[in-house]
Amino acid sequence: MDVKQQMQDLIDRLNAASDAYYNGREEILTDFEWDALFDQLKKLESDSGIVLPGSPTAKVSADTTPGEKEAHEFATLSLAKTKKPEELVHWADGRPIWMSWKLDGLTLVVTYDNGKLTKVVTRGDGHIGTNITHLAPAIHGILPEVSYTGHMVIRGEAVISYADFERFRIESGEDYANPRNLASGSLTLKDVNEVAGRNIHWIPFTLVYTEENIVSWGARMDWLQNLGFKVVDHVLISEPTLEHVQADIDAFSEKVTSGTNPYPVDGLVIVYDDTQYASTGSVTGHHATRAGFAFKWQDESVETQLDHVEWSCAAGAITPVAVFDPVQLEGTTVKRASLCNISECERLGIGGKGTILSVIKANKIIPKVIHVRKTEGSLEIPAECPVCHQPTEVEVSPLSGTKTLHCTNPDCTAKQLKKFARFVSKAGMDIDGISEATIARFINAGWIRSCGDFYRLNEHQDGIAQLDGFGEKSAQNIVDAVEKARRVTDRRFIYALSIPLVGPDVAKKLLSVYSLSDLIAMAENAPQDDVFASIDGIGPEKSGAFVRWFRDEKNQAMVRDVLDQVTIEESEKAAAGNRCAGLTFVITGDVHHYHNRNELKAYIESQGGKVTGSVSKNTSFLINNDVNSTSSKNQKAHQLNVPILSEDDFVERYGQ
């Protein structure tokens, strides 16, 4: 193959991966792989003196966000990149610099005039982007108004935190490769409310223009903060020696490896504090030589030997996991790495026991097999699911051609992984220390088949201790966490059930009117789906989803199983009105205006009243549609001179 053909093949692969990356589709290449191919292309271009049309070394990757296109007032150019701290020091040339995160999201350019937000535009190709101003109310951090009344242009990154990414995946059931992929796909939507549910945050990383005379980059960021913006984390390096630069790189790296940084990043950025000096640089291709420099971590690679490939059934796919001889990476012992899918195994050349692998921790977090030096044997693809033992099938993505293995059993327990993860989450039952990966292993071990099984994990404590990476202390911690989580609020319980359309806010609204027991009884017996539709913020769609979920007998059995093992703390009911304030009612007999007695009881309580089970001198009214009945409650009411109301009487006096 001649050099031009080599270059064209690299250009095609890189551009296809960039197109998927920038437009919210399935990830084709990891950052590590993209950078390696990009560097290979740059070297071929440098050696040959040839740059072919469409080369990503000579253009800014574009998004194809649908909408009205708009030219940028100031070109959004890309930064030169390096993995060597020495090059950062050389570039700084002794001048004070700022170091900040290189956030992994979508760059949005935000403009203000006369104190008002005037437009929000995507980066696009650096010169022309897409106007998405209509989505601004759905993006945290983009202020509708500021106190500054001049013309102002800010660049920032639209990002989704790891926690919000996992929450969305669990609640929606949709599968995205990473937070950046979800953020990208979200900004192609038209519905502002749908975008708002993705919890996108816009974080300013530079003030492009202001009429104020502020020549220090650090002072500009302070000025933005004083206006109310939450800007990117940044640190000043007054004397950019190699020692100082390396120390700050290490400090940022520690935040990544320790998990204290909530947002995805793919490196660091350094800029001159002197903005006037920075603006005097030249433009080479699509890089402004003094605008800034991007640092990407040099991934530490080690060789090891494959022991076996473990097939783990999780959510919709059966994922291959490489289990290899333990190695030290980024200060930790690593002996497992996901191989993602069959296509990735084929691309790498994964074989059987004895295959020699190169492993990294991508972005210092995720173990990743990047190369196979020597293949031994062949990869065996299981014909049956490791969880339910039903047949498997290989599916091919129509978009990318990616081959993945799936279980054909629609009722396979492993397909409930995301629901189990939501069940144990902090917002759910708050069982500490049980991650999605841990749940997947418990499922594959046969210990988790339903939500109630989490409260029986003490029966498998010895087995947990024997799992790779656990031990007796970890097993005891899990058992202790389960015991601690046996007391839970009703709101967290409802959220934990993964009822479609029912998040924390919906659970709060339902439980502000009805008790948990009333909610369950009403939903299970409701003749119509809209029984909760009149509650503020619920409506027919959410009411229907809630009722239909509780009509399912399997769901009913699961709920009762969990309720048998936990103690529920009831929320205080906020009265929606005061029509029944200060009154105590007793309800007996059948009802016809309300769906059942529980609904009538809940209505009375929502209006500030009380409902008791027996008639006493403190009872204000007995509600009985058979007013002339000789029942014991009617007789007691007559003895105590307690008025008896029919349901129609009640509705006329106290109904809505």
Side-chain angles (χ1 to χ4, degrees):
M1 185 185 297
D2 64 24
V3 68
K4 283 190 177 181
Q5 187 58 53
Q6 280 184 273
M7 291 162 66
Q8 190 60 56
D9 287 349
L10 289 168
I11 289 168
D12 291 344
R13 287 186 66 187
L14 288 165
N15 286 344
S18 291
D19 184 54
Y21 179 84
Y22 278 93
N23 295 294
R25 295 196 298 276
E26 211 171 329
E27 188 176 86
I28 296 175
L29 296 173
T30 64
D31 283 351
F32 181 90
E33 292 162 335
W34 199 93
D35 288 343
L37 295 180
F38 184 86
D39 291 344
Q40 188 179 338
L41 176 61
K42 275 185 69 175
K43 186 173 188 309
L44 288 174
E45 290 176 345
S46 175
D47 292 346
S48 66
I50 301 169
V51 178
L52 296 178
S55 173
T57 66
K59 70 173 185 176
V60 177
S61 297
D63 69 77
T64 56
T65 306
E68 181 184 346
K69 304 304 174 185
E70 183 159 339
H72 288 298
E73 183 180 356
F74 304 94
T76 308
L77 304 177
S78 58
L79 302 177
K81 299 176 179 64
T82 184
K83 293 186 177 182
K84 299 178 180 178
E86 296 84 357
E87 289 192 21
L88 298 182
V89 174
H90 177 74
W91 181 84
D93 195 25
R95 295 175 178 272
I97 57 173
W98 289 90
M99 181 176 288
S100 63
W101 291 119
K102 186 173 182 293
L103 295 164
D104 192 15
L106 284 89
T107 298
L108 300 181
V109 182
V110 178
T111 303
Y112 291 85
D113 290 287
N114 300 315
K116 307 283 187 183
L117 173 69
T118 52
K119 61 182 175 181
V120 179
V121 181
T122 65
R123 179 187 186 184
D125 65 0
H127 299 279
I128 297 175
T130 302
N131 191 312
I132 60 165
T133 310
H134 64 289
L135 295 180
I139 302 172
H140 300 286
I142 299 181
L143 305 178
E145 297 181 359
V146 292
S147 58
Y148 174 64
T149 57
H151 181 59
M152 176 171 63
V153 181
I154 313 169
R155 282 192 206 114
E157 200 80 353
V159 292
I160 295 176
S161 71
Y162 288 113
D164 285 331
F165 173 68
E166 290 303 324
R167 176 191 59 78
F168 177 82
R169 283 205 311 145
I170 291 167
E171 289 184 15
S172 69
E174 297 180 39
D175 199 14
Y176 284 86
N178 49 51
R180 198 231 173 269
N181 193 252
L182 174 59
S184 177
S186 299
L187 295 183
T188 66
L189 301 172
K190 295 180 180 179
D191 187 337
V192 174
N193 292 326
E194 190 175 357
V195 176
R198 312 297 178 89
N199 221 16
I200 299 172
H201 288 255
W202 180 72
I203 302 177
F205 58 74
T206 194
L207 173 59
V208 181
Y209 177 82
T210 176
E211 293 169 5
E212 297 290 304
N213 184 29
I214 311 173
V215 296
S216 159
W217 185 89
R220 285 182 164 220
M221 300 304 277
D222 290 344
W223 188 69
L224 287 177
Q225 288 190 121
N226 289 334
L227 288 176
F229 295 101
K230 294 183 179 180
V231 302
V232 67
D233 289 349
H234 52 283
V235 62
L236 176 65
I237 307 177
S238 301
E239 298 179 12
T241 63
L242 182 58
E243 180 184 3
H244 291 160
V245 169
Q246 186 64 61
D248 282 311
I249 288 174
D250 291 344
F252 275 102
S253 299
E254 172 61 26
K255 292 180 181 179
V256 175
T257 54
S258 66
T260 56
N261 176 50
Y263 296 106
V265 297
D266 59 354
L268 303 169
V269 172
I270 64 166
V271 295
Y272 293 113
D273 184 56
D274 187 340
T275 58
Q276 290 185 328
Y277 176 75
S279 67
T280 62
S282 59
V283 176
T284 303
H286 282 262
H287 302 97
T289 57
R290 289 179 181 166
F293 217 109
F295 174 79
K296 310 240 341 182
W297 286 286
Q298 181 73 54
D299 295 301
E300 177 189 355
S301 170
V302 295
E303 274 198 356
T304 185
Q305 183 171 286
L306 180 69
D307 184 78
H308 65 280
V309 172
E310 178 182 286
W311 293 84
S312 176
C313 192
I318 303 174
T319 305
V321 177
V323 181
F324 42 78
D325 293 344
V327 292
Q328 289 292 313
L329 279 172
E330 307 292 350
T332 61
T333 301
V334 178
K335 46 189 172 183
R336 300 166 59 87
S338 172
L339 294 167
C340 299
N341 50 56
I342 295 171
S343 292
E344 178 71 354
C345 291
E346 291 176 346
R347 186 186 70 79
L348 289 166
I350 297 294
K353 185 179 178 66
T355 296
I356 305 300
L357 315 170
S358 290
V359 184
I360 65 166
K361 261 193 173 182
N363 278 343
K364 296 187 172 290
I365 299 175
I366 304 168
K368 172 81 177 171
V369 177
I370 59 166
H371 178 66
V372 170
R373 182 170 63 79
K374 180 184 178 185
T375 301
E376 294 286 350
S378 59
L379 177 69
E380 295 184 9
I381 299 173
E384 65 175 41
C385 171
V387 172
C388 69
H389 305 292
Q390 295 300 303
T392 60
E393 64 180 6
V394 176
E395 294 183 8
V396 181
S397 167
L399 285 176
S400 63
T402 301
K403 291 190 283 188
T404 52
L405 189 66
H406 293 261
C407 173
T408 58
N409 176 14
D411 297 321
C412 179
T413 305
K415 293 184 178 180
Q416 308 302 311
L417 173 65
K418 291 176 182 177
K419 293 180 180 179
F420 288 139
R422 174 163 164 172
F423 183 81
V424 304
S425 69
K426 192 165 189 65
M429 304 301 276
D430 193 18
I431 304 179
D432 191 37
I434 302 184
S435 65
E436 187 171 309
T438 297
I439 296 170
R441 297 181 73 180
F442 289 176
I443 290 171
N444 281 273
W447 301 332
I448 298 295
R449 288 288 179 265
S450 72
C451 291
D453 289 336
F454 285 102
Y455 298 95
R456 291 182 278 271
L457 281 174
N458 61 316
E459 299 172 10
H460 307 288
Q461 185 170 348
D462 290 342
I464 294 171
Q466 298 302 314
L467 287 178
D468 182 25
F470 282 81
E472 291 184 7
K473 184 176 180 181
S474 296
Q476 186 63 55
N477 287 342
I478 286 175
V479 170
D480 291 345
V482 169
E483 290 306 309
K484 185 179 177 182
R486 287 187 185 271
R487 192 172 192 88
V488 66
T489 65
D490 50 7
R491 291 178 187 175
R492 295 216 319 266
F493 176 79
I494 287 292
Y495 172 79
L497 298 178
S498 291
I499 303 169
L501 305 181
V502 179
D505 187 54
V506 172
K508 179 180 178 180
K509 288 174 178 176
L510 288 168
L511 288 161
S512 69
V513 178
Y514 301 122
S515 68
L516 179 62
S517 58
D518 287 346
L519 269 180
I520 294 173
M522 289 170 65
E524 289 181 354
N525 300 295
Q528 297 175 343
D529 290 355
D530 62 354
V531 61
F532 305 112
S534 62
I535 298 175
D536 184 42
I538 300 300
E541 189 178 10
K542 291 170 183 172
S543 174
F546 190 86
V547 169
R548 287 190 294 273
W549 191 90
F550 270 100
R551 282 201 191 118
D552 186 290
E553 292 183 359
K554 290 181 181 177
N555 292 336
Q556 293 175 11
M558 182 270 284
V559 167
R560 291 190 174 91
D561 180 26
V562 175
L563 287 175
D564 283 344
Q565 301 179 72
V566 300
T567 300
I568 301 292
E569 297 175 359
E570 296 275 352
S571 301
E572 289 187 15
K573 303 295 170 285
N578 58 6
R579 294 176 183 229
C580 301
L583 301 177
T584 300
F585 297 82
V586 174
I587 307 168
T588 189
D590 295 329
V591 293
H592 56 80
H593 180 83
Y594 293 90
H595 290 110
N596 51 47
R597 293 207 301 250
N598 281 322
E599 186 181 6
L600 174 53
K601 173 177 179 282
Y603 172 74
I604 291 170
E605 291 174 344
S606 77
Q607 296 297 319
K610 290 174 60 179
V611 177
T612 60
S614 58
V615 178
S616 72
K617 63 180 181 179
N618 296 319
T619 303
S620 305
F621 295 98
L622 170 65
I623 300 174
N624 188 348
N625 277 322
D626 189 353
V627 176
N628 298 315
S629 165
T630 57
S631 67
S632 59
K633 286 184 179 175
N634 274 33
Q635 290 179 23
K636 185 76 170 179
H638 287 307
Q639 290 172 10
L640 298 173
N641 294 317
V642 173
I644 303 174
L645 301 179
S646 69
E647 190 181 359
D648 290 339
D649 293 334
F650 172 83
V651 171
E652 185 178 345
R653 288 194 191 189
Y654 304 108
Q656 53 186 353

